[in-house]
Structures are given as C-alpha cells and as structure tokens.
Amino acid sequence: MTAVLKHELRSYFHSLTAYVFGAFLLMFVGLGALRYNIQAAVSNFEFVLEYCSLVLAIIVPVLTMRVLSEERRQKTDQLLYSLPISTTQVILGKYLALLTVYLVPLCIVSLYPLIFSRFGDVYLPAAYGSIFAFFLMGAALIALGVFVSSLTDNQGLAAGLSMALMLFNYFSVSLSEYVSATAFGSILALTVLILLLCVLVRFVTKNENLAYLLGIVLMLAVMAAYFFHISSFENLLPRVMTTLSLFARFESFVNGVFDLTAVVFDLTVTALFLFLSVQSLEKRRYN
Amino acid sequence: MIEVEHLTKRYGDVTAVSDLSFTIQPGQIYGFLGPNGAGKSTTMNIMTGCLSATEGHVRIDGHDIFQEPNQAKRLIGYLPEQPPLYLNETPLEYLRFVGEAKGLKGPALTEQIGEVLRQTGLENVRGRRIAALSKGYKQRLGIAQALLGDPQMIILDEPTVGLDPLQIIEIRDLIKELGKTHTVLFSSHILSEVQAICGQILILSKGKLVAFDTPENLERRMTSNEIVFTADAPQDVVVDILVQTEGVSPLDLQEKSPGLTEARIGAEEELYDVSRRLFFAFAERGIALLEIGLRKANLEDIFIELTEKEAQGKEGQNHDGSAEA
C-alpha cells in the first residue's frame, strides 16, 4: 500500500494536479473569507466553508477523474493486478494519496480562524468543527469520485458523471421541495430507482436472470409495503433526498452543532464507495 | 515450476481457453505459439493473476495463484502484451515504484534497479520521460519491470510485436540471455523466432494445447520429409530402382523430357540415410542423379498441420452432431 501511496503522491506533486487543486480551493476559501470575514465583518469562519462547499462538487471530480480510469486506459492496471499487492491496498493507497492532496490546502485554511481571532471575537470550536466536517465531507466526495473513475476508462466521462452526482447531492435538499410528496409519487420514484438498479446489475454482472429476479423481488416488496403501510410512503421521496445529502449534513456544523450522525454518515459513505471501488476493480478480473 | 491444470476460461458463450494442462519445469525457455486468438494472452493473464479462470488451477511452485496470490506473484515477472508503463515518469521512477510494490527496500532496491537497467541496456535513458522513449526501449523497460524482485519465472506476452528488425534481434538476444538464469515463457506467433530461442514449444490452437515438445522432436514427428531429385533415366527405370530401395515411398514421378525423370519421394527413415541409399542405388545402375534436394519439414509445416488438424477435427464433430440431430 505504501508503494502505491508514495507513487501516487509523487505523481500528484510532480505534476500540477496537487497545486492546481490546492490553488482553486484556497482561492475560493480566500474569496469567501474576503466577502464574509473582511467585507461584511462577520466573525463566523464556518460561513466561508459553507460558501465553498459547492466548489468541492466541481474540483473533486476533476481531481479524482483520472485516478483509476487512466490506469485502465494506459493498461497499467495489468501491472497493478500482476504485482503482489491486493486490490484493497491499491484502492487504499490511491485514496490516501488523494486525501493528502486535499488535506494540504485544508491545513493552510485551518490557520485562518487563528489569524482572524487576533482581530476579533472568533468562536473557534465552531470554526474548527466545521473545518473537520468539511474535511469529512470532502473525504466522502473523493471516495465517490474514485468509485466513478473505476467504472470507465474515459476521464471526461468520469469527471462529468461524478460532477452530476455531486451537484445533484448538493441541490437535492432544495429539489426535494419540488418533488411529489404523495405516496404515489414515491412509488413511482422507487420503481424508477429499482429499474435503474436492475439495469446496473445487468450491466455489471452480465447476468440477466439475476437482474430480473432482483427487480421482481424489490417490486413485490415495495407493493407489499404499499398495501400494508401506505402512510410510510407519504413524503418518502423528499425525506430520502434530504437524508442522503452530504451537504445538508454539513450545514448542521455550520450552525454550530457537532452532529455525530453526520460524522458517522460521512465515514459510512466513504467506506461504502471505497468498498465498491475495490469490487469494481476486482470484477474486471472476473469478466 | 508452473503447473496448469484443466484451465478453462469462458467469456459468456465464447470459450477462450478450454481444459488446458501443462507443466513448466525450471531452467529452460518455453515458447508459446499459436495463431492470433488462440488464447495465448488469456492463458498468460490467468497464470499471472490478472484474470480469473472459469475452471482449473494454476500453481507457481505449489502456490495457487487464486488462493495465495501474493506468494505466487512474487515468483513470476510478467510483461503483458502492451507494456504497462506510466508515460509521465522516468524509467528510474517507474522501476522504483514497481520495486517497492514487490517489497524491495533501501539499498537492495537501488542495487536491483541498477542491475535490471544494466541487463536491459537502459542505463542511458534512465532519466528520460518514458513517453519520449522508442518502442524498443519501452519494451525493454517492460522486461526490466518484470525482472525486479528476482523472480524465478519470467512470462512475456509477445515481446517482439511491433518492433523493427534490429530491435527484434536485440530483444531475442535479451531473452536468450535471461534464459540462462531464469525460466522464461514467452508467446509469439512468429515461428522462426520460437524455433531460434526456445528449448520447448507449446502450440495452442483454439484454446487447446495441440503440441508440447522440443523443436527437434516436433520436426521428427512430421511425416513429410521429402527428397526431390532428377535422374538421367526414363520413368520406368526410375520406378524399378525405387521399388528395390528400402525406406522410400514415391509420391510423384514425371518424365519431363525423354529420358529425364523428376521424382518426389517421401523418406520413411532418417533423411540422409535414405538419400545415401538412393544415391548408391542409382550409381550401381550407372545412372546419374542430376539434381537432388532434401525438403525437411520445418516448424511452419508442423504449425499449419497441427492447427488445421484441430480445425478439421472441430468441423468433423459438428458434422457428426448435425447428422445425429
């Protein structure tokens, strides 16, 4: 794992990748600090991070797009498979390198509240709590980006797809107000989701029967739940959209609440997508 | 030692490799020969852990590649069909990564990198960007990568494809050199290449092993050793002599011009023995042999015969199948 980590770090810091990523993040944090802390003279640093959270949805996909898709395109993935290291070690090494690239600008950012506190009354626990939450949210987004990159050998597609997913995740709370809150609307959305899942299963496992079976079982489950417990479907779709939003959970830190469920959620999302990335890489060996 | 047992790989309905079994003993160069699409790359990918098998086992020195991948992979160095290189790095950086991933550290790593750079003749370009290297150098770097960690076995997938003739000779010499200290298995669809370097040849056709022997034995196995000669005599005289000579079977006789016969005969024994006997048989009768030529079966004939036989066998089966239906 250390070999992969060192190799990735070298490639990020020898090329412009790490610097451009860091520069963009620092630039937006700087703009935010200028706008809130200096021009508006607000002492809450957490607002700056809230302002910057949308930026993550743009720059993280650009950072993660090539991590696995480029290996596949250059056929260097065959080297990784033939080396005496496991797929888990490869993914972890690559992920930790990305995390380091992300952590470096955040370390610089974490000096800002200290600097500001010399000129005014900054509530440091809230500021550092939200920097911590910002880090965790980024970590989860990077894991998502790694997974999307493992699906294709086309960097552009990987970037576009993860950007779309992250933006949807960002706006899902506001969007949830506009989606149907009725039970029927939720059923419809669930059906679409199940169909998408089946298509994905069919595509990944190349096993049509499994996809059909899964689809039928899930549809029956949904229908059974609909007849026996119709009330649970009221408002289901907006609730799900809000619950799954990484960005919405970050808000509670901005509001000064150290939300442990958000920490657990971020870590779970990270672990899930890293696990899926390992499976996606492993699967290519079994096609 | 590599043991491959009943290896089968299916992609959906397509069977790329079917029930392949062979054992590779240490200390020789093995050639893996077959037409394109015969399953060479698939087999090599499975042997090195890059691909799963549908059925069967591969054991490297007793370590199953699927059960104990790390121990097994340490014993083999693999160069895939396309050398897996990070184009933005220098050979030195690249080899450092591969060496570290193979568990080398500190002075041992530096020493081994120096050693493989020397072996593959890459010392002059060690600091250049890989993207700027010629195809021959890239191929050598791919081999250098396989040599790191001092594996007992080197597996090379079509190492000479796409190189110019000079580079091909260089790579061949390198493989010969490696064969002195390692067990080498390399695939190719160029027959002369395999004949020139390998001590053992495996011929693969349609995912099946059709032959596994030394080049000499493969040639001996062929029945088509032929002698072609022109005798200064009419056809009936030539026939008369041939009938009395042992170990020959006339294949084609033609009286080209009156009193001048061209003949093609199959030799049932060692070629030189038969040709000597033939010479004296004609000499006794005072007939001059104006021309005599030996046609030894070469690997190309064997290859075509074996791979075609396989194809015909398949067709035969199909016909039987349809007849039954």
Side-chain angles (χ1 to χ4, degrees):
Chain A
M1 187 185 83
T2 46
V4 179
L5 174 62
K6 274 164 79 179
H7 181 239
E8 290 290 307
L9 278 180
R10 200 161 42 213
S11 88
Y12 288 137
F13 286 95
H14 275 194
S15 68
L16 283 175
T17 319
Y19 305 103
V20 171
F21 177 81
F24 260 90
L25 192 58
L26 287 177
M27 182 180 86
F28 280 99
V29 173
L31 279 177
L34 186 74
R35 194 175 144 191
Y36 286 96
N37 299 132
I38 298 174
Q39 283 183 342
V42 178
S43 66
N44 299 59
F45 187 70
E46 48 278 20
F47 291 165
V48 176
L49 294 177
E50 189 191 11
Y51 169 78
C52 292
S53 58
L54 181 60
V55 175
L56 278 188
I58 310 294
I59 59 174
V60 166
V62 177
L63 178 69
T64 58
M65 64 182 183
R66 57 165 284 282
V67 63
L68 291 166
S69 60
E70 183 67 5
E71 300 270 0
R72 201 161 146 191
R73 201 181 61 80
Q74 281 195 13
K75 310 251 175 186
T76 40
D77 54 342
Q78 279 207 312
L79 174 71
L80 297 178
Y81 285 131
S82 69
L83 286 173
I85 42 177
S86 69
T87 318
T88 315
Q89 285 173 314
V90 171
I91 293 287
L92 278 182
K94 281 177 170 288
Y95 179 70
L96 289 178
L98 287 167
L99 214 54
T100 312
V101 171
Y102 174 51
L103 203 56
V104 170
L106 270 194
C107 285
I108 300 173
V109 167
S110 64
L111 296 175
Y112 294 2
L114 275 181
I115 296 171
F116 289 137
S117 68
R118 290 178 58 89
F119 304 101
D121 210 8
V122 180
Y123 187 54
L124 289 177
Y128 283 103
S130 44
I131 289 179
F132 174 68
F134 193 74
F135 168 69
L136 282 183
M137 179 175 69
L141 291 177
I142 290 173
L144 171 67
V146 170
F147 171 63
V148 173
S149 177
S150 79
L151 295 176
T152 169
D153 58 359
N154 184 333
Q155 292 189 15
L157 187 65
L161 198 59
S162 22
M163 223 177 267
L165 283 172
M166 289 178 198
L167 285 176
F168 181 73
N169 195 279
Y170 183 86
F171 289 112
S172 68
V173 177
S174 358
L175 282 175
S176 70
E177 289 170 18
Y178 299 102
V179 298
S180 166
T182 62
F184 182 72
S186 299
I187 291 281
L188 210 63
L190 273 176
T191 311
V192 171
L193 275 180
I194 289 170
L195 287 179
L196 279 177
L197 182 72
C198 291
V199 169
L200 190 74
V201 166
R202 161 75 184 79
F203 175 70
V204 169
T205 62
K206 297 201 169 63
N207 187 339
E208 260 173 56
N209 292 338
L210 184 70
Y212 285 134
L213 191 73
L214 186 75
I216 290 168
V217 168
L218 285 176
M219 291 301 280
L220 284 177
V222 168
M223 271 199 268
Y226 183 72
F227 283 119
F228 289 110
H229 211 279
I230 191 162
S231 62
S232 63
F233 280 88
E234 303 282 345
N235 225 2
L236 180 70
L237 188 59
R239 263 210 325 269
V240 168
M241 283 174 70
T242 318
T243 317
L244 288 184
S245 175
L246 287 159
F247 295 91
R249 287 175 188 273
F250 173 62
E251 297 286 307
S252 52
F253 283 88
V254 173
N255 296 329
V257 182
F258 194 92
D259 186 359
L260 212 61
T261 56
V263 174
V264 173
F265 182 71
D266 283 347
L267 292 177
T268 313
V269 169
T270 307
L272 174 73
F273 280 115
L274 290 182
F275 173 76
L276 287 178
S277 310
V278 172
Q279 296 312 309
S280 164
L281 230 60
E282 235 359 87
K283 186 229 120 202
R284 227 171 297 144
R285 220 189 283 220
Y286 287 87
N287 60 359
Chain B
M1 189 168 76
I2 305 179
E3 297 159 275
V4 175
E5 283 172 14
H6 305 293
L7 200 66
T8 300
K9 176 72 185 178
R10 285 187 213 99
Y11 295 105
D13 298 331
V14 184
T15 308
V17 174
S18 75
D19 200 25
L20 196 62
S21 301
F22 58 86
T23 306
I24 285 181
Q25 301 292 348
Q28 254 186 325
I29 302 183
Y30 287 80
F32 215 15
L33 201 59
N36 289 326
K40 295 177 304 234
S41 291
T42 305
T43 310
M44 289 183 145
N45 274 335
I46 297 173
M47 287 166 74
T48 51
C50 293
L51 203 65
S52 71
T54 315
E55 279 161 42
H57 295 280
V58 175
R59 281 191 209 90
I60 319 284
D61 254 6
H63 298 290
D64 192 299
I65 192 84
F66 308 119
Q67 311 291 332
E68 308 168 86
N70 286 2
Q71 284 98 319
K73 284 178 192 171
R74 261 172 228 284
L75 299 169
I76 38 178
Y78 179 41
L79 168 70
E81 205 168 350
Q82 191 179 337
L85 307 174
Y86 294 101
L87 299 179
N88 289 326
E89 295 171 9
T90 66
L92 215 53
E93 289 171 333
Y94 173 69
L95 291 176
R96 186 159 281 275
F97 162 59
V98 176
E100 280 173 356
K102 287 186 178 181
L104 297 169
K105 278 191 204 87
L109 175 64
T110 318
E111 193 184 309
Q112 275 218 16
I113 290 177
E115 173 67 18
V116 297
L117 282 174
R118 191 192 56 73
Q119 260 179 304
T120 49
L122 286 168
E123 282 153 319
N124 294 333
V125 295
R126 63 201 300 177
R128 264 197 239 166
R129 242 165 57 96
I130 295 175
L133 296 181
S134 73
K135 218 165 172 208
Y137 273 126
K138 283 182 187 157
Q139 202 70 350
R140 283 151 180 260
L141 184 56
I143 296 177
Q145 162 274 119
L147 289 174
L148 278 177
D150 203 19
Q152 304 169 4
M153 256 115 7
I154 311 282
I155 298 181
L156 310 169
D157 195 355
E158 307 220 339
T160 56
V161 159
L163 302 181
D164 68 39
L166 201 67
Q167 293 169 329
I168 291 182
I169 292 169
E170 286 171 357
I171 296 283
R172 272 185 208 164
D173 289 343
L174 180 60
I175 295 174
K176 265 191 234 168
E177 199 58 38
L178 292 176
K180 289 176 188 161
T181 45
H182 300 81
T183 310
V184 180
L185 171 66
F186 85 97
S187 73
S188 176
H189 57 259
I190 304 167
L191 299 144
S192 57
E193 177 169 282
V194 173
Q195 201 163 15
I197 353 184
C198 296
Q200 292 276 340
I201 296 179
L202 297 98
I203 299 180
L204 209 61
S205 172
K206 307 233 164 69
K208 284 187 180 140
L209 193 65
V210 290
F212 184 7
D213 218 327
T214 60
E216 296 79 35
N217 279 345
L218 282 176
E219 277 169 17
R220 205 165 298 149
R221 261 169 60 175
M222 289 297 290
T223 47
S224 64
N225 282 344
E226 289 175 10
I227 300 175
V228 187
F229 65 86
T230 313
D232 193 9
Q235 193 170 336
D236 49 335
V237 180
V238 175
V239 173
D240 190 39
I241 296 173
L242 287 179
V243 168
Q244 288 169 27
T245 318
E246 273 174 48
V248 300
S249 54
L251 295 170
D252 190 23
L253 282 164
Q254 256 182 336
E255 198 164 333
K256 274 284 157 88
S257 47
L260 211 60
T261 309
E262 228 177 64
R264 192 160 65 89
I265 60 164
E268 284 154 7
E269 295 164 40
E270 196 67 34
L271 260 181
Y272 283 163
D273 291 344
V274 178
S275 66
R276 187 180 298 119
R277 212 175 292 148
L278 207 64
F279 173 82
F280 284 119
F282 279 91
E284 264 175 27
R285 302 276 288 259
I287 296 168
L289 286 175
L290 302 172
E291 240 182 307
I292 183 160
L294 308 182
R295 267 187 48 195
K296 240 179 148 178
N298 58 15
L299 214 51
E300 197 132 2
D301 300 326
I302 302 167
F303 182 68
I304 291 167
E305 194 188 74
L306 285 170
T307 48
E308 271 181 1
K309 214 189 266 170
E310 184 66 24
Q312 280 167 3
K314 271 239 172 89
E315 269 169 31
Q317 276 170 14
N318 288 347
H319 287 314
D320 292 347
S322 55
E324 275 170 35

